Amino acid sequence: MLSGTVLVTGGGSGIGRATAERAGREGASVAIVDRAADNAAETARLVTAAGGRALAYPCDVGDDAAVADTVQRIGRDLGRVTGVVTAAGIFHGPDLQPAHQVTVDDFVHVLRVNLVGTFAVIKHALPMLIDGGGAIVTIASTAAIRGHGYGAGYTASKGGVDALTRLLAVQYGASDVRANCICPGGVDTPMTGGTFATDEAIARAKQRVPIGRYAQARDIGDVAIFLLSDDARYLTGQTVPVEGGATIA
Ligand SMILES: NC(=O)c1ccc[n+]([C@@H]2O[C@H](COP(=O)([O-])OP(=O)(O)OC[C@H]3O[C@@H](n4cnc5c(N)ncnc54)[C@H](O)[C@@H]3O)[C@@H](O)[C@H]2O)c1
């Protein structure tokens, strides 16, 4: 069970939506923050239809002023934020070129959403989190912990998210705020556009992933809910790969 208000960025799709749906089923009020307004509203509808309480907040996490305003509104509408899950993130085509072909503008574009956006949301939620305790779950990637070979900005942003999470755990542990970072492997979501669902990918997963398949969004969301919950009360500052064992095979 979860109590209080859980803020989920990227809650309009994929991992964020799966996390929001589960948070609603666990009894939290859910604030769905996503730049895609229609998708955020659809997640709120799904949570509500399942008996939960949720509101959608269209917001670009890369826009600090908008984030500050959104987090304040969430506190007024749904009550003190007790949990934050930062799943908003982008893959950016030009960033997937070899590093020497990636422009600094494209590199910074990815950092602004994946790293700066993660920081902004957490920064503005922290006054509420420390006012009674709470938990933060960041979503990085196995790109943070092993060489993926593509995505200079993506990799740097995810490594930054992982390191930032450790800083938060150290700075706010005494305030009863925990922070942990999930590093998903391949997950079949709109971000990956079906590439993990082809016959070839399914066969590849049997070879490369000990559990024998790529993830579904809820495989990640369920771990995020555990990390938010009181069951994880003595767990903080950890990098949690959720990749079917792919990084140890
Ligand atoms: N799918 C994978 O294989 C995979 C693997 C490792 C890590 N991840 C990470 O998991 C997180 C969720 O990814 P997903 O696969 O669910 O992707 P997704 O594309 O399905 O969902 C991402 C959501 O983030 C939102 N978003 C993007 N930029 C935003 C911004 N500036 N402000 C607010 N919202 C924004 C999108 O609108 C979308 O709803 C991302 O951070 C991603 O990097 C995904």
Side-chain angles (χ1 to χ4, degrees):
M1 287 295 289
L2 294 176
S3 58
T5 297
V6 173
L7 185 169
V8 183
T9 75
S13 179
I15 292 167
R17 175 174 284 176
T19 303
E21 289 192 78
R22 177 77 193 273
R25 288 200 302 276
E26 293 293 326
S29 298
V30 191
I32 296 139
V33 176
D34 202 297
R35 72 176 170 193
D38 289 352
N39 292 347
E42 173 61 9
T43 303
R45 191 194 67 73
L46 290 167
V47 173
T48 307
R53 181 181 188 221
L55 290 174
Y57 295 87
C59 174
D60 176 354
V61 298
D63 178 343
D64 181 49
V67 171
D69 176 64
T70 298
V71 174
Q72 289 308 311
R73 283 196 292 127
I74 290 167
R76 287 197 297 274
D77 294 346
L78 294 173
R80 186 176 79 85
V81 173
T82 53
V84 174
V85 180
T86 58
I90 55 169
F91 248 169
H92 180 53
D95 177 56
L96 304 181
Q97 305 305 311
H100 73 284
Q101 293 173 7
V102 175
T103 67
V104 169
D105 280 351
D106 284 322
F107 186 87
V108 170
H109 175 70
V110 177
L111 257 67
R112 175 153 289 283
V113 177
N114 292 6
L115 179 57
V116 179
T118 294
F119 173 68
V121 170
I122 292 169
K123 172 201 152 53
H124 290 297
L126 267 164
M128 282 191 269
L129 290 166
I130 63 181
D131 184 22
I136 297 163
V137 178
T138 55
I139 307 292
S141 162
T142 50
I145 53 177
R146 69 185 307 191
H148 267 196
Y150 54 86
Y154 187 83
T155 297
S157 72
K158 295 304 188 179
V161 165
D162 186 31
L164 175 65
T165 308
R166 279 188 290 279
L167 172 134
L168 296 168
V170 173
Q171 285 190 341
Y172 296 100
S175 302
D176 197 23
V177 176
R178 296 179 297 101
N180 291 288
C181 175
I182 294 178
C183 289
V187 192
D188 182 24
T189 68
M191 174 183 271
T192 49
T195 54
F196 289 124
T198 63
D199 289 346
E200 189 191 346
I202 289 165
R204 190 173 64 235
K206 289 191 198 317
Q207 298 291 321
R208 295 192 188 164
V209 182
I211 281 185
R213 63 174 177 84
Y214 290 115
Q216 297 298 316
R218 71 184 184 88
D219 295 322
I220 314 302
D222 286 353
V223 177
I225 296 299
F226 162 70
L227 291 171
L228 287 179
S229 78
D230 192 53
D231 287 345
R233 59 192 167 274
Y234 201 60
L235 183 48
T236 196
Q238 300 305 309
T239 302
V240 183
V242 184
E243 30 61 298
T247 62
I248 51 86

